[in-house]
Amino acid sequence: MDRLREVDPLADRLPAGVGIVHDERLVVIPRNMLIAAKPDIPDA
């Protein structure tokens, strides 16, 4: 877990068993921004 904290300060908030590596970043999108963008996001 110490290695994850070095990579990203929010990494310790990930669920157990989930992590990020040195060349990845955790991006947090505010809820209100995601809701506003929903009409522009295609359904999978």
Side-chain angles (χ1 to χ4, degrees), residues 14-40:
L14 295 174
V18 176
I20 55 175
V21 295
H22 70 280
D23 63 343
E24 297 176 326
R25 284 186 189 227
L26 179 62
V27 177
V28 178
I29 301 172
R31 184 178 187 276
N32 60 339
M33 184 183 295
L34 188 57
I35 290 171
K38 177 60 178 139
D40 299 320

Side-chain angles (χ1 to χ4, degrees), residues 2-16:
D2 290 333
R3 183 175 175 183
L4 291 179
R5 285 195 189 101
E6 293 174 13
V7 175
D8 193 297
L10 296 175
D12 59 344
R13 297 178 63 187
L14 295 174

